[in-house]
Amino acid sequence: PRESRMNLFLQCGRVGMMNGLVVQSEAFFKAAISLIPDVPITYENSHGQTESTEKQLAEYILNFASSLLMFPGHPEHGPFYLVKALQGIR
């Protein structure tokens, strides 16, 4: 469920950017970034085996980062502040 919310926030942010809704897109992108630290390191698949989420998370972050390239800078936080927030996730 968390991963589907992350994807939903990313898609909503993209649609907002396509429609010139920068403030709304920013809120969706921030919400997606806030969910990333909560992604578990492993999960149990439908066969009962434990699998790593590393590959899926790496793909998501690459996809997310490509969306942030077109995001304008913030007057107070500067350019690429959302990219910096994404980099700062531990």
Side-chain angles (χ1 to χ4, degrees):
R2 183 175 298 112
E3 292 79 14
S4 60
R5 283 183 36 206
M6 288 171 43
N7 285 318
L8 180 62
F9 287 147
L10 178 57
Q11 293 304 320
C12 288
R14 285 180 172 168
V15 170
M17 286 300 298
M18 290 180 358
N19 289 297
L21 304 170
V22 177
V23 174
Q24 289 81 1
S25 295
E26 176 185 23
F28 284 122
F29 289 151
K30 283 181 177 180
I33 290 171
S34 73
L35 291 176
I36 292 173
D38 297 331
V39 173
I41 296 171
T42 60
Y43 70 99
E44 190 172 308
N45 67 16
S46 59
H47 303 294
Q49 300 169 331
T50 301
E51 292 189 22
S52 173
T53 59
E54 183 178 357
K55 183 179 177 185
Q56 293 93 339
L57 188 56
E59 288 175 13
Y60 177 81
I61 290 173
L62 284 173
N63 197 6
F64 196 149
S66 69
S67 299
L68 292 178
L69 288 176
M70 64 181 184
F71 196 80
H74 191 277
E76 295 175 12
H77 303 296
F80 298 112
Y81 77 102
L82 286 176
V83 174
K84 292 174 187 173
L86 191 59
Q87 287 178 326
I89 294 174
R90 301 275 175 232

